Protein backbone atom coordinates (compact mmCIF):
# COMPACT_ATOMS: atom_id res chain seq x y z
CA UNK A 1 0.00 0.00 0.00
CA UNK A 2 2.87 2.39 -0.78
CA UNK A 3 2.23 5.80 -2.38
CA UNK A 4 -1.49 5.70 -1.53
CA UNK A 5 -2.97 9.18 -1.24
CA UNK A 6 -5.81 9.88 1.21
CA UNK A 7 -7.83 13.08 1.45
CA UNK A 8 -9.28 13.62 4.93
CA UNK A 9 -12.24 16.01 5.12
CA UNK A 10 -13.66 17.03 8.50
CA UNK A 11 -14.59 20.33 10.15
CA UNK A 12 -13.00 19.38 13.49
CA UNK A 13 -9.27 20.29 13.58
CA UNK A 14 -8.59 17.75 16.35
CA UNK A 15 -9.89 14.90 14.17
CA UNK A 16 -7.88 16.10 11.17
CA UNK A 17 -4.74 16.21 13.29
CA UNK A 18 -5.29 12.90 15.12
CA UNK A 19 -6.42 10.77 12.18
CA UNK A 20 -4.04 12.48 9.79
CA UNK A 21 -1.13 11.69 12.11
CA UNK A 22 -2.06 8.01 12.32
CA UNK A 23 -2.53 7.70 8.57
CA UNK A 24 0.84 9.30 7.87
CA UNK A 25 2.46 7.01 10.44
CA UNK A 26 1.22 4.06 8.35
CA UNK A 27 2.88 5.48 5.25
CA UNK A 28 -0.09 7.15 3.55
CA UNK A 29 0.26 10.51 1.84
CA UNK A 30 -2.38 12.72 3.46
CA UNK A 31 -4.01 16.05 2.64
CA UNK A 32 -6.84 17.63 4.63
CA UNK A 33 -9.81 19.95 4.15
CA UNK A 34 -12.29 21.42 6.64
CA UNK A 35 -15.50 21.40 4.62
CA UNK A 36 -16.99 19.79 1.56
CA UNK A 37 -16.40 22.75 -0.74
CA UNK A 38 -12.74 22.93 0.20
CA UNK A 39 -12.54 19.13 -0.03
CA UNK A 40 -13.94 19.15 -3.57
CA UNK A 41 -11.33 21.66 -4.71
CA UNK A 42 -8.55 19.77 -2.94
CA UNK A 43 -9.62 16.46 -4.46
CA UNK A 44 -9.26 17.87 -7.99
CA UNK A 45 -5.71 19.00 -7.20
CA UNK A 46 -4.51 16.12 -4.98
CA UNK A 47 -6.17 13.26 -6.92
CA UNK A 48 -6.47 10.94 -3.90
CA UNK A 49 -6.91 7.17 -4.05
CA UNK A 50 -9.32 7.36 -1.12
CA UNK A 51 -11.40 10.16 0.41
CA UNK A 52 -12.37 9.91 4.07
CA UNK A 53 -15.01 12.46 4.97
CA UNK A 54 -17.47 13.55 7.63
CA UNK A 55 -21.18 14.02 6.94
CA UNK A 56 -22.05 17.22 8.81
CA UNK A 57 -19.81 20.08 7.63
CA UNK A 58 -20.30 23.78 6.81
CA UNK A 59 -20.57 25.23 3.28
CA UNK A 60 -20.97 21.80 1.69
CA UNK A 61 -21.70 18.64 3.65
CA UNK A 62 -20.16 15.23 2.97
CA UNK A 63 -23.19 13.89 1.11
CA UNK A 64 -23.15 16.79 -1.33
CA UNK A 65 -19.40 16.50 -1.83
CA UNK A 66 -19.61 12.79 -2.56
CA UNK A 67 -22.48 13.27 -5.00
CA UNK A 68 -20.59 16.04 -6.82
CA UNK A 69 -17.46 13.90 -7.10
CA UNK A 70 -19.38 11.00 -8.60
CA UNK A 71 -20.59 13.28 -11.40
CA UNK A 72 -16.98 13.63 -12.59
CA UNK A 73 -15.47 10.91 -14.78
CA UNK A 74 -12.08 11.18 -13.07
CA UNK A 75 -13.60 10.27 -9.67
CA UNK A 76 -15.80 7.35 -10.72
CA UNK A 77 -13.31 4.85 -9.30
CA UNK A 78 -12.04 6.83 -6.30
CA UNK A 79 -12.82 5.19 -2.96
CA UNK A 80 -15.10 7.38 -0.82
CA UNK A 81 -15.62 6.47 2.84
CA UNK A 82 -17.79 8.34 5.31
CA UNK A 83 -16.49 8.64 8.87
CA UNK A 84 -19.37 9.98 10.93
CA UNK A 85 -21.06 9.92 14.32
CA UNK A 86 -24.43 9.83 12.53
CA UNK A 87 -25.48 6.25 13.21
CA UNK A 88 -29.08 6.39 11.93
CA UNK A 89 -29.97 3.91 9.22
CA UNK A 90 -31.23 6.66 6.92
CA UNK A 91 -27.90 8.53 7.18
CA UNK A 92 -25.94 5.44 6.24
CA UNK A 93 -28.29 4.65 3.37
CA UNK A 94 -28.04 8.24 2.14
CA UNK A 95 -24.25 7.89 2.18
CA UNK A 96 -24.33 4.83 -0.03
CA UNK A 97 -26.91 6.46 -2.30
CA UNK A 98 -24.57 9.43 -2.71
CA UNK A 99 -21.89 7.05 -4.01
CA UNK A 100 -19.87 6.03 -0.95
CA UNK A 101 -17.99 2.73 -0.83
CA UNK A 102 -18.33 2.42 2.94
CA UNK A 103 -19.75 4.16 6.00
CA UNK A 104 -17.74 3.94 9.24
CA UNK A 105 -19.05 5.13 12.59
CA UNK A 106 -17.19 7.37 15.03
CA UNK A 107 -15.60 6.84 17.45
CA UNK A 108 -13.24 4.22 16.09
CA UNK A 109 -9.74 3.23 17.12
CA UNK A 110 -7.07 4.29 14.60
CA UNK A 111 -5.80 0.72 14.09
CA UNK A 112 -9.30 -0.53 13.30
CA UNK A 113 -9.92 2.37 10.92
CA UNK A 114 -6.66 1.75 9.09
CA UNK A 115 -7.43 -1.97 8.82
CA UNK A 116 -10.79 -1.16 7.25
CA UNK A 117 -9.21 1.27 4.79
CA UNK A 118 -6.49 -1.22 3.85
CA UNK A 119 -9.12 -3.88 3.20
CA UNK A 120 -11.01 -1.53 0.88
CA UNK A 121 -7.84 -0.52 -0.94
CA UNK A 122 -6.87 -4.15 -1.50
CA UNK A 123 -10.29 -4.89 -2.99
CA UNK A 124 -9.78 -2.07 -5.47
CA UNK A 125 -6.63 -3.70 -6.83
CA UNK A 126 -7.28 -5.86 -9.90
CA UNK A 127 -6.69 -9.57 -9.24
CA UNK A 128 -4.33 -9.75 -12.18
CA UNK A 129 -2.82 -6.99 -14.26
CA UNK A 130 -0.71 -7.10 -17.36
CA UNK A 131 2.93 -7.17 -16.26
CA UNK A 132 4.30 -5.06 -19.10
CA UNK A 133 4.61 -1.47 -17.93
CA UNK A 134 4.80 -0.23 -21.52
CA UNK A 135 2.72 -1.60 -24.39
CA UNK A 136 3.31 -0.39 -27.94
CA UNK A 137 0.95 -1.23 -30.78
CA UNK A 138 -0.01 0.30 -34.09
CA UNK A 139 -0.94 3.94 -33.20
CA UNK A 140 -1.14 3.03 -29.48
CA UNK A 141 1.44 3.54 -26.71
CA UNK A 142 0.18 2.54 -23.25
CA UNK A 143 2.23 3.38 -20.16
CA UNK A 144 1.04 1.55 -17.05
CA UNK A 145 3.42 3.51 -14.84
CA UNK A 146 1.92 6.91 -15.68
CA UNK A 147 -1.59 5.69 -16.62
CA UNK A 148 -1.26 7.50 -19.94
CA UNK A 149 -2.31 6.40 -23.40
CA UNK A 150 -0.79 7.97 -26.50
CA UNK A 151 -2.91 7.46 -29.60
CA UNK A 152 -1.85 8.85 -32.96
CA UNK A 153 0.49 11.28 -31.20
CA UNK A 154 -2.10 12.59 -28.73
CA UNK A 155 -1.88 11.91 -24.98
CA UNK A 156 -4.95 10.71 -23.10
CA UNK A 157 -5.15 10.56 -19.29
CA UNK A 158 -7.98 8.10 -18.69
CA UNK A 159 -10.05 7.29 -15.60
CA UNK A 160 -8.56 4.25 -13.90
CA UNK A 161 -11.04 1.61 -15.04
CA UNK A 162 -11.00 2.81 -18.65
CA UNK A 163 -7.21 2.61 -18.57
CA UNK A 164 -7.17 -0.88 -17.02
CA UNK A 165 -9.68 -2.05 -19.62
CA UNK A 166 -7.74 -0.80 -22.64
CA UNK A 167 -4.45 -2.04 -21.15
CA UNK A 168 -5.96 -5.49 -20.72
CA UNK A 169 -7.23 -5.60 -24.30
CA UNK A 170 -3.91 -4.27 -25.60
CA UNK A 171 -1.95 -6.89 -23.66
CA UNK A 172 -3.06 -9.45 -26.26
CA UNK A 173 -4.49 -7.70 -29.36
CA UNK A 174 -6.83 -9.69 -31.57
CA UNK A 175 -7.59 -12.02 -28.66
CA UNK A 176 -11.22 -12.04 -27.56
CA UNK A 177 -11.49 -11.33 -23.84
CA UNK A 178 -14.60 -12.82 -22.30
CA UNK A 179 -16.82 -10.57 -20.21
CA UNK A 180 -16.27 -12.71 -17.11
CA UNK A 181 -12.50 -12.41 -17.50
CA UNK A 182 -12.70 -8.65 -17.98
CA UNK A 183 -14.77 -8.28 -14.80
CA UNK A 184 -12.31 -10.43 -12.86
CA UNK A 185 -9.13 -8.74 -14.08
CA UNK A 186 -10.29 -5.12 -14.18
CA UNK A 187 -12.85 -4.93 -11.37
CA UNK A 188 -11.60 -7.79 -9.19
CA UNK A 189 -13.71 -8.44 -6.11
CA UNK A 190 -15.77 -5.26 -6.30
CA UNK A 191 -19.46 -5.90 -5.77
CA UNK A 192 -20.62 -2.56 -7.19
CA UNK A 193 -20.21 -3.61 -10.82
CA UNK A 194 -23.48 -3.80 -12.73
CA UNK A 195 -24.19 -5.89 -15.77
CA UNK A 196 -23.77 -2.92 -18.12
CA UNK A 197 -20.56 -1.58 -16.59
CA UNK A 198 -18.25 -3.08 -19.21
CA UNK A 199 -20.48 -1.82 -22.04
CA UNK A 200 -20.44 1.71 -20.64
CA UNK A 201 -16.65 1.75 -20.36
CA UNK A 202 -16.26 0.28 -23.84
CA UNK A 203 -18.54 2.99 -25.23
CA UNK A 204 -16.31 5.65 -23.64
CA UNK A 205 -13.19 4.07 -25.16
CA UNK A 206 -14.83 3.97 -28.58
CA UNK A 207 -15.75 7.65 -28.27
CA UNK A 208 -12.09 8.49 -27.59
CA UNK A 209 -10.26 6.15 -29.97
CA UNK A 210 -12.78 5.25 -32.65
CA UNK A 211 -15.38 2.55 -32.98
CA UNK A 212 -13.31 0.55 -35.47
CA UNK A 213 -10.49 0.00 -32.97
CA UNK A 214 -12.63 -2.40 -30.93
CA UNK A 215 -14.79 -5.37 -31.82
CA UNK A 216 -17.74 -6.74 -29.89
CA UNK A 217 -18.12 -10.49 -30.10
CA UNK A 218 -21.80 -10.94 -29.35
CA UNK A 219 -22.46 -13.04 -26.28
CA UNK A 220 -18.75 -13.47 -25.57
CA UNK A 221 -16.73 -10.29 -25.05
CA UNK A 222 -14.44 -7.72 -26.67
CA UNK A 223 -11.12 -7.43 -28.48
CA UNK A 224 -8.78 -4.66 -29.59
CA UNK A 225 -8.14 -4.48 -33.33
CA UNK A 226 -4.41 -3.90 -33.81
Amino acid sequence: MKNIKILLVDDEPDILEFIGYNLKKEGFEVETAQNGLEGLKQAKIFRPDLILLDVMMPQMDGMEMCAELRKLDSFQDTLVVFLSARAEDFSQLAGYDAGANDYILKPIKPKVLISKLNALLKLKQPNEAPKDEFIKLNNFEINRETYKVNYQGQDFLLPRKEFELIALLASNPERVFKREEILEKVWGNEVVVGGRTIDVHMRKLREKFGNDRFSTIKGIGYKLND
Side-chain angles (χ1 to χ4, degrees):
M1 291 299 169
K2 293 182 179 179
N3 304 317
I4 296 294
K5 298 193 290 185
I6 295 180
L7 175 61
L8 177 60
V9 187
D10 199 296
D11 62 335
E12 296 186 38
D14 289 346
I15 288 179
L16 293 179
E17 182 179 356
F18 179 65
I19 295 179
Y21 167 78
N22 282 279
L23 291 173
K24 289 176 183 177
K25 191 169 67 172
E26 292 296 318
F28 295 109
E29 185 179 347
V30 180
E31 290 290 343
T32 61
Q34 291 188 305
N35 60 68
L37 192 60
E38 182 185 338
L40 194 59
K41 293 177 182 178
Q42 186 73 325
K44 294 175 182 178
I45 298 170
F46 185 48
R47 297 290 178 177
D49 300 286
L50 185 148
I51 299 172
L52 187 62
L53 71 160
D54 191 17
V55 173
M56 301 300 295
M57 293 184 292
Q59 296 190 50
M60 178 185 284
D61 65 30
M63 301 290 184
E64 292 176 286
M65 177 184 165
C66 183
E68 288 300 313
L69 283 171
R70 292 309 193 205
K71 294 177 183 178
L72 305 174
D73 285 344
S74 54
F75 290 97
Q76 291 298 306
D77 300 309
T78 304
L79 283 167
V80 178
V81 179
F82 282 108
L83 180 62
S84 175
R86 298 288 300 270
E88 308 94 344
D89 288 347
F90 68 82
S91 293
Q92 297 182 51
L93 290 171
Y96 289 115
D97 287 342
N101 298 92
D102 204 353
Y103 192 109
I104 299 173
L105 295 178
K106 297 176 183 175
I108 185 170
K109 294 181 178 179
K111 288 185 178 180
V112 178
L113 173 63
I114 289 166
S115 292
K116 285 179 174 286
L117 299 184
N118 278 329
L120 283 169
L121 287 162
K122 286 177 182 177
L123 285 176
K124 291 295 284 186
Q125 303 301 316
N127 285 352
E128 294 181 36
K131 294 182 179 179
D132 293 336
E133 291 183 352
F134 191 81
I135 302 171
K136 189 170 184 178
L137 302 171
N138 182 28
N139 291 324
F140 272 112
E141 292 182 2
I142 299 173
N143 191 326
R144 293 191 60 83
E145 207 169 63
T146 62
Y147 272 73
K148 285 184 180 178
V149 175
N150 184 284
Y151 179 62
Q152 296 182 339
Q154 181 179 353
D155 283 333
F156 293 82
L157 187 60
L158 305 179
R160 183 172 298 176
K161 293 306 182 189
E162 285 182 40
F163 179 87
E164 293 292 350
L165 177 54
I166 195 171
L168 175 64
L169 298 177
S171 69
N172 198 341
E174 298 297 336
R175 177 195 162 189
V176 178
F177 285 85
K178 294 181 179 179
R179 295 175 65 86
E180 295 81 5
E181 183 180 4
I182 293 172
L183 285 173
E184 178 186 347
K185 290 186 175 180
V186 176
W187 279 270
N189 295 321
E190 295 176 34
V191 297
V192 295
V193 178
R196 301 289 295 173
T197 298
I198 299 176
D199 303 325
V200 171
H201 283 72
M202 285 301 306
R203 176 176 54 78
K204 291 179 179 179
L205 290 178
R206 284 184 161 117
E207 289 172 354
K208 292 180 174 76
F209 304 115
N211 189 56
D212 60 337
R213 296 314 308 266
F214 307 92
S215 291
T216 302
I217 313 303
K218 191 173 181 181
I220 300 176
Y222 297 94
K223 72 183 183 74
L224 175 68
N225 304 319
D226 188 9

